[in-house]
Every structure is written in structure tokens, then in C-alpha cells.
């Protein structure tokens, strides 16, 4: 017998032996006897299909992009030769860094882009609303010659009626409107237009900044070629520039500017309705006070309740 070969006691039974044992057991009527050992071909089972994962009857969604399931890098990447753990262009440490950095950047850039997209949509709609109000309010900053013509006609009719009654020309008052005089706008109109112009300018500045930041993020996530060490160095250089130039601070400042723009618009809207209708001005004022109160409370809650989710951009 050759070394390494199984002994007769250890050799697996063949098909003929298994059939003979079964027949002999059936002939003696021993129904409680154990079944003969099965061969490897008889013990094969069909692979079972794993059912979809559900949570309380709800099918779970796919994991977000960039989520790494297999983080066993010792199995995925072989070890480097001795004294070449960092000097090799495709060393294990560089490949692990590229994998981890890709997952981290996918999560970070995804959050930034979602916030910027919402900011662009809101800034566009808000700018359109403010522009429509500003077009109407800006007419109060210049002389209304149509109203002045109506006043002059009224004065002319009053003079003719006075002359018809026999009044003296000396006793007739001068016209109330003077087209040649300098026009002085009302102070409330100046404040309303000032608030709305600043609000519109701020919203347009936010839209421009959001577009520029999206271009920066696109450059940050552009694909790289080369060895793992080269890609790691370039990615680290980009991330250092992202932190040095305070891109995260810029992105967090944009919502604050939009909130201030909205408050300025509501303040101008209150002043706009004061000379027109006091009740409407009070209604807009109450709504504005409620919104401002809720805004400041939502920013102050995380200070006292760390588990509160009412974080805005500056709280993150």
C-alpha cells in the first residue's frame, strides 16, 4: 500500500456495498437499523436562494454608494514584502487608503451636493418672487406723472369753478402738484425697496456661490489614473486644499444667507402693506414673528438637547 492512501477501514463505501447493505437489512426486517453512509454524490444539496431581507414586512433598500461591506483588507490585499510596506507603488497601505478615501468622499460629497441642489432651487424660486414684488415697489421711487396730471386737472377745474362764482384771481390757491419740483420719495418706500434689493442680491449671490462650489466638488471627485500611491497623494492634496480654503464653511454659510434674505423680504413686506392696509401688515407681521421664533428655537434646541435633530447648517 502506498503511503498516504486510505486503509480499507477508512475507504468510503461504493454504490454496490451500499445497495447490498440495504437489501440485507430489509430482508431481516430490521427497520430500526441506521441508514448506511451515503456517498458524496448523494449528499449534495441544491443551493438555497436567500430571501430578500425585510424589516417588519418592509423590503430593505440597497445600501448607499460608497458603503463597504468587506473591510477585511488582510484577505482582500496580500501582504507586502519585508521593508516594502510603503515604498512599493501599489503597496497594501496605499490600496487600503484609496478604498477608505473613496467611501469617505462619496458620503461627504453626496451630502454637499444634495444641500447645494436644494439651495439652487430655493434661491431661483425666491429670486423670482422677490423680483416680482420689487418691480412693483420700485415705481414709488420716482415721480408718478399720471397721478400728477390728475391732480393738475383737479386744480384746473377748481380754478374754473372759483372764477365762475366771481372769486378774485388773487384768492385762488396755487396748484398742489409741481412738475418742475424735485421729487422726494417716501421713507417707507425707500426702506421697502432697500430690504428687497438686498434680499434679491443676497439670493443671487448664494446661487452663484452654489454653482462655483459644485464646480469645485466636481474637480475634487474627478477620476485619477496611476498607481495607488500616486492617487493617494493626489487625493490627500485635494482634501488638504478643501480644508484650507474652508469649502465646508462656505457651504454651511449659504443657508444662513438665504435665511437672512427671507427675513429681509418679510420685513419689507410688512412695511409695504402698512400704507395700504394695516390689517394685512399685522397678519404678515405675526407670521414673520412666528417663523423667526421657530427658527431661533430650532437652532437653540441642540444646545440643551444633544439628541435633537433640528440641526441647521451652522449647527453641523
Amino acid at each position: 500500500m502506498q503511503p498516504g492512501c486510505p486503509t480499507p477501514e477508512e475507504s468510503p463505501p461504493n454504490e454496490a456495498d451500499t445497495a447490498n447493505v440495504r437489501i440485507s437489512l430489509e430482508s431481516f426486517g430490521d427497520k430500526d437499523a441506521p441508514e448506511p453512509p451515503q456517498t458524496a454524490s448523494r449528499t449534495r444539496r441544491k443551493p438555497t436562494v436567500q430571501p430578500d431581507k425585510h424589516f417588519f414586512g418592509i423590503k430593505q433598500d440597497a445600501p448607499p454608494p460608497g458603503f463597504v461591506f468587506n473591510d477585511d483588507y488582510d484577505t482582500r490585499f496580500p501582504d507586502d514584502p519585508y521593508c516594502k510596506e510603503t515604498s512599493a507603488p501599489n503597496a497594501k497601505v496605499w490600496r487600503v487608503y484609496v478604498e477608505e478615501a473613496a467611501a469617505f468622499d462619496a458620503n461627504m460629497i453626496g451630502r454637499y451636493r444634495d444641500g447645494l441642489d436644494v439651495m439652487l432651487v430655493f434661491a431661483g424660486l425666491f429670486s423670482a418672487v422677490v423680483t416680482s414684488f420689487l418691480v412693483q415697489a420700485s415705481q414709488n421711487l420716482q415721480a408718478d406723472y399720471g397721478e400728477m396730471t390728475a391732480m393738475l386737472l383737479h386744480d384746473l377745474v377748481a380754478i374754473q369753478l372759483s372764477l365762475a362764482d366771481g372769486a378774485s384771481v388773487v384768492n385762488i390757491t396755487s396748484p398742489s402738484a409741481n412738475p418742475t419740483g424735485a421729487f422726494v420719495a417716501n421713507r417707507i418706500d425707500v426702506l421697502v425697496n432697500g430690504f428687497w434689493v438686498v434680499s434679491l442680491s443676497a439670493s443671487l449671490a448664494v446661487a452663484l456661490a452654489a454653482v462655483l462650489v459644485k464646480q469645485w466638488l466636481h474637480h475634487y471627485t474627478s477620476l485619477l489614473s496611476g498607481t495607488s500611491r500616486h492617487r493617494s497623494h493626489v487625493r490627500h492634496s485635494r482634501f488638504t486644499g478643501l480644508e484650507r480654503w474652508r469649502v465646508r464653511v462656505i457651504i454651511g454659510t449659504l443657508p444662513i444667507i438665504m435665511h437672512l434674505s427671507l427675513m429681509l423680504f418679510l420685513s419689507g413686506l410688512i412695511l409695504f402693506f402698512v400704507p395700504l392696509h394695516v390689517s394685512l401688515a399685522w397678519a404678515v407681521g405675526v407670521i414673520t414673528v412666528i417663523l423667526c421664533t421657530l427658527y431661533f428655537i430650532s437652532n437653540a434646541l441642540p444646545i440643551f438637547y444633544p439628541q435633537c435633530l433640528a440641526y441647521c447648517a451652522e449647527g453641523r
Side-chain angles (χ1 to χ4, degrees):
M1 180 179 298
Q2 296 181 0
C5 297
T7 59
E9 293 80 3
E10 298 176 352
S11 59
N14 52 23
E15 296 290 339
D17 296 338
T18 303
N20 294 331
V21 171
R22 182 180 293 107
I23 293 173
S24 61
L25 292 176
E26 291 177 356
S27 61
F28 284 101
D30 190 1
K31 303 190 180 201
D32 297 333
E35 288 291 334
Q38 301 293 330
T39 60
S41 61
R42 291 180 179 272
T43 58
R44 293 178 182 175
R45 296 181 179 180
K46 296 182 179 180
T48 58
V49 180
Q50 296 293 336
D52 296 335
K53 295 182 179 180
H54 290 74
F55 183 74
F56 289 102
I58 302 176
K59 186 177 180 180
Q60 295 183 1
D61 297 331
F67 187 82
V68 180
F69 285 100
N70 187 9
D71 57 353
D72 188 6
Y73 295 110
D74 293 334
T75 305
R76 296 174 57 190
F77 303 121
D79 293 334
D80 300 317
Y82 182 70
C83 295
K84 291 186 178 180
E85 289 82 359
T86 59
S87 59
N90 292 317
K92 180 179 180 180
V93 62
W94 305 125
R95 287 181 288 178
V96 172
Y97 179 86
V98 171
E99 290 282 340
E100 292 292 334
F104 177 82
D105 291 341
N107 185 22
M108 179 184 66
I109 302 300
R111 289 188 292 106
Y112 288 166
R113 284 179 174 173
D114 292 342
L116 292 173
D117 291 338
V118 173
M119 200 59 54
L120 281 173
V121 174
F122 181 75
L125 296 176
F126 181 74
S127 299
V129 173
V130 176
T131 302
S132 62
F133 278 89
L134 186 59
V135 170
Q136 180 67 26
S138 61
Q139 299 178 2
N140 297 329
L141 298 179
Q142 57 185 355
D144 189 359
Y145 291 100
E147 183 181 0
M148 192 174 297
T149 301
M151 294 175 63
L152 291 175
L153 289 176
H154 180 269
D155 293 339
L156 181 59
V157 172
I159 292 173
Q160 291 178 353
L161 291 176
S162 299
L163 293 176
D165 293 337
S168 176
V169 181
V170 180
N171 297 327
I172 298 176
T173 58
S174 61
S176 57
N178 186 9
T180 60
F183 175 77
V184 178
N186 191 4
R187 183 174 298 178
I188 294 180
D189 295 331
V190 175
L191 289 176
V192 170
N193 284 271
F195 285 161
W196 288 353
V197 167
V198 174
S199 177
L200 178 61
S201 302
S203 62
L204 293 178
V206 168
L208 177 61
V211 172
L212 293 177
V213 172
K214 285 181 69 69
Q215 293 178 357
W216 300 342
L217 297 179
H218 179 72
H219 174 71
Y220 179 84
T221 56
S222 59
L223 298 178
L224 297 173
S225 60
T227 62
S228 300
R229 180 174 61 183
H230 174 71
R231 287 185 291 170
S232 301
H233 290 170
V234 174
R235 187 265 169 192
H236 182 71
S237 176
R238 291 179 177 179
F239 183 77
T240 303
L242 202 71
E243 293 292 326
R244 180 177 300 175
W245 292 100
R246 308 293 183 183
V247 176
R248 182 173 58 180
V249 177
I250 295 174
I251 296 175
T253 308
L254 297 181
I256 302 176
I257 299 176
M258 285 304 305
H259 299 162
L260 295 176
S261 301
L262 180 60
M263 293 179 185
L264 288 175
F265 172 73
L266 293 176
S267 300
L269 194 63
I270 296 173
L271 297 177
F272 180 76
F273 282 112
V274 165
L276 299 179
H277 202 285
V278 180
S279 300
L280 291 177
W282 273 104
V284 177
V286 170
I287 295 174
T288 303
V289 170
I290 293 175
L291 291 178
C292 293
T293 304
L294 293 177
Y295 176 77
F296 287 110
I297 290 176
S298 64
N299 284 276
L301 280 177
I303 300 176
F304 305 98
Y305 303 97
Q307 295 181 347
C308 181
L309 299 179
Y311 280 97
C312 65
E314 62 272 17
R316 291 193 294 267

